[in-house]
Amino acid sequence: MDILTIKLASEKWGISTRRISALCEQGRIPGAVKTAGVWLLPPDSQKPADARIRNEKYIGWRNKTDMSNRNYESNIKNIKGTFAVEGMRVSENTIANLKRLSDGKISCDMLVEEIKEKYIQRA
């Protein structure tokens, strides 16, 4: 194959075709050429690094599963404060489950399944 289309690059890199078009327009993919309204990339093109990442703190910020105990205690205080403002309270079971997650004793998926089972048994 002597060219790489946006669609093939999308499948290869795991990002949308629109994002690849934007990267081409910004000149972030070396050798990309627009011909007849279609972007053509060199076959050995590499996915450009995410320019939003400056200090490694951005990577995976939405998918945090590893909470240090310090962060855990701070998060619990924030949750309790938010609930107090709303006139609600955090149950001891919720706090115990958050501690299990924080300590790595259980994964989020396992906890969700465990809670589903508990509610199924109650019904």
Side-chain angles (χ1 to χ4, degrees):
M1 179 191 320
D2 56 343
I3 60 166
L4 185 62
T5 64
I6 287 182
K7 183 172 172 137
L8 290 173
S10 171
E11 292 168 4
K12 180 179 173 184
W13 298 340
I15 57 177
S16 71
T17 55
R18 179 64 195 116
R19 181 69 188 136
I20 295 173
S21 293
L23 291 170
C24 290
E25 289 168 7
Q26 295 167 4
R28 302 222 4 244
I29 301 178
V33 200
K34 192 169 191 177
T35 306
V38 178
W39 283 102
L40 303 175
L41 291 66
D44 58 347
S45 295
Q46 298 294 315
K47 178 181 173 185
D50 192 336
R52 298 172 294 176
I53 299 170
R54 298 276 185 245
N55 60 5
E56 300 295 323
K57 289 184 180 178
Y58 182 86
I59 297 173
W61 69 273
R62 286 190 176 125
N63 301 322
K64 292 278 186 221
T65 54
D66 179 34
M67 297 186 343
S68 70
N69 287 334
R70 180 178 47 110
N71 288 339
Y72 160 76
E73 295 298 333
S74 172
N75 289 338
I76 288 293
K77 286 178 187 174
N78 290 338
I79 291 170
K80 284 183 175 179
T82 302
F83 274 44
V85 168
E86 297 293 328
M88 303 182 312
R89 72 178 196 86
V90 180
S91 73
E92 293 304 317
N93 286 340
T94 300
I95 292 172
N97 285 333
L98 289 171
K99 283 183 181 176
R100 288 169 57 202
L101 283 169
S102 163
D103 295 340
K105 294 179 180 174
I106 193 168
S107 72
C108 239
D109 293 335
M110 290 169 57
L111 181 60
V112 168
E113 289 303 316
E114 190 178 289
I115 292 170
K116 280 182 187 176
E117 285 297 318
K118 199 180 285 186
Y119 281 102
I120 289 171
Q121 290 174 359
R122 286 185 185 177

